Amino acid sequence: MSQNPGSKHLQCRHFPMTLSPSDIDALRPGEWVTDDVIDFYFKYLKHKYFRNNKKYVYIPVTIANLLTERPVDNSSQHIKDLASDANALDIETQCLKKPRSIRVAFLPIFGDDHWSLLVYRNVKHRPLPEFLHFNSHLGSTRENHTQCARTALINLLYVFRENDASMMISKESYRLVVKNCPQQANGNDCGVFVCMNAYVLTARLAKREKEGVSPLHALVRRMSVSYSPGGRKSVEFAEKNPDKDGDPEEMMWKIKDKDAIRPDDMRAYITN
């Protein structure tokens, strides 16, 4: 970030976005981060890790709010209007118009005075997409917020289907998988945890893309090939305790306390 001469605004060096003094103040410990801060950080993650990769999408807050706040209605006209409004807000990235090219999409969910992270995951070897919900305040968050995430996922699927009629949607598509993740210790760090969880997952995905590791490759790496004295080949799994290490594809989406960044450190990291 760089400060504009004669102004307290911070201008991003990498893409056209400016943070106002109120956005900057919101990064102080104890404050709620603003919509623009979350949008800025999502743009930063896209620029740094997946600038030219259309498989990974970061949904802006304005679109996520539309998907969260618009009541679920499966009537044809409602879905057309919803998709039209979402596409109109998606002028910059136009990611919603080609849903089949999306492998992972990050959505910041706001509802019931709380932020959480919703992740759309479309895995090639699975017939239907999954929605993973990372909520940093599970113990205190009311059902209303979870319902906001459900509303957003259903409306996102409606938009995808309207933009691409070949997209498959069924009741199984609406399943929301609540993931265990680090929990905040107060009532104002939820937006920071959204940024942190998005960062942890993004860094992992970027590493996998760089290494070119697919689930099949990971499986092969877990196998050891040995030959008996008679020349016969036998195959054994090198890892005997699946509960300890787990499926590599699923481990990608587990965020443990040891993976967390201190909220105050994360606040400082966002604009560095």
Side-chain angles (χ1 to χ4, degrees):
M1 299 289 290
S2 60
Q3 191 165 6
N4 293 333
S7 172
K8 293 183 179 180
H9 289 71
L10 287 181
Q11 175 68 49
C12 181
R13 294 186 297 267
H14 308 294
F15 47 83
M17 186 167 183
T18 301
L19 291 181
S20 69
S22 61
D23 295 325
I24 299 167
D25 289 342
L27 286 168
R28 295 174 180 172
E31 300 292 332
W32 278 58
V33 296
T34 63
D35 295 11
D36 283 347
V37 167
I38 294 176
D39 264 345
F40 162 79
Y41 193 66
F42 273 31
K43 284 186 177 182
Y44 166 78
L45 292 176
K46 174 67 176 178
H47 178 87
K48 180 176 180 179
Y49 293 99
F50 299 121
R51 188 184 319 174
N52 300 314
N53 191 331
K54 296 182 179 180
K55 294 188 298 184
Y56 300 94
V57 170
Y58 297 80
I59 304 292
V61 171
T62 52
I63 298 177
N65 285 345
L66 171 69
L67 300 174
T68 302
E69 296 167 2
R70 190 71 59 91
V72 173
D73 183 343
N74 63 0
S75 67
S76 176
Q77 188 58 50
H78 174 86
I79 294 176
K80 286 182 179 180
D81 292 342
L82 173 66
S84 176
D85 292 343
N87 291 335
L89 292 171
D90 192 31
I91 297 175
E92 183 176 347
T93 64
Q94 297 188 351
C95 61
L96 301 177
K97 293 185 177 181
K98 296 181 179 180
R100 284 198 169 275
S101 65
I102 299 175
R103 182 176 181 182
V104 176
F106 295 88
L107 295 85
I109 300 299
F110 184 78
D112 206 26
D113 293 328
H114 180 62
W115 286 102
S116 66
L117 178 67
L118 182 65
V119 178
Y120 165 87
R121 180 173 71 145
N122 191 7
V123 184
K124 287 184 178 180
H125 64 276
R126 296 182 180 178
L128 295 171
E130 291 182 332
F131 284 88
L132 311 179
H133 194 204
F134 297 86
N135 186 345
S136 61
H137 217 188
L138 282 172
S140 301
T141 303
R142 293 184 288 274
E143 177 63 21
N144 289 346
H145 182 77
T146 303
Q147 186 56 47
C148 289
R150 291 195 186 100
T151 298
L153 76 85
I154 294 173
N155 281 333
L156 180 64
L157 290 174
Y158 283 164
V159 171
F160 281 172
R161 186 177 64 181
E162 184 66 21
N163 288 338
D164 185 345
S166 67
M167 287 287 293
M168 290 180 57
I169 295 181
S170 67
K171 289 184 178 180
E172 288 76 13
S173 305
Y174 303 156
R175 189 166 68 97
L176 183 67
V177 180
V178 178
K179 304 293 288 186
N180 289 327
C181 62
Q183 298 293 288
Q184 63 192 82
N186 55 41
N188 48 50
D189 277 336
C190 50
V192 178
F193 274 74
V194 167
C195 295
M196 181 194 71
N197 288 332
Y199 163 72
V200 171
L201 295 174
T202 296
R204 290 176 182 174
L205 290 166
K207 181 179 179 181
R208 184 172 69 176
E209 282 286 321
K210 185 177 181 180
E211 295 175 349
V213 178
S214 68
L216 177 60
H217 292 152
L219 177 63
V220 171
R221 291 197 308 181
R222 293 173 55 218
M223 299 169 67
S224 61
V225 180
S226 60
Y227 292 86
S228 64
R232 297 181 61 185
K233 181 171 65 175
S234 62
V235 180
E236 297 179 351
F237 282 95
E239 297 172 6
K240 300 296 184 181
N241 186 359
D243 294 332
K244 180 179 179 181
D245 297 296
D247 175 28
E249 176 66 21
E250 295 307 314
M251 291 298 292
M252 173 77 66
W253 303 96
K254 291 184 177 181
I255 304 179
K256 301 180 179 180
D257 289 341
K258 66 178 182 179
D259 303 316
I261 300 171
R262 290 181 63 253
D264 289 354
D265 292 341
M266 189 68 205
R267 288 173 181 271
Y269 178 72
I270 286 174
T271 54
N272 285 340

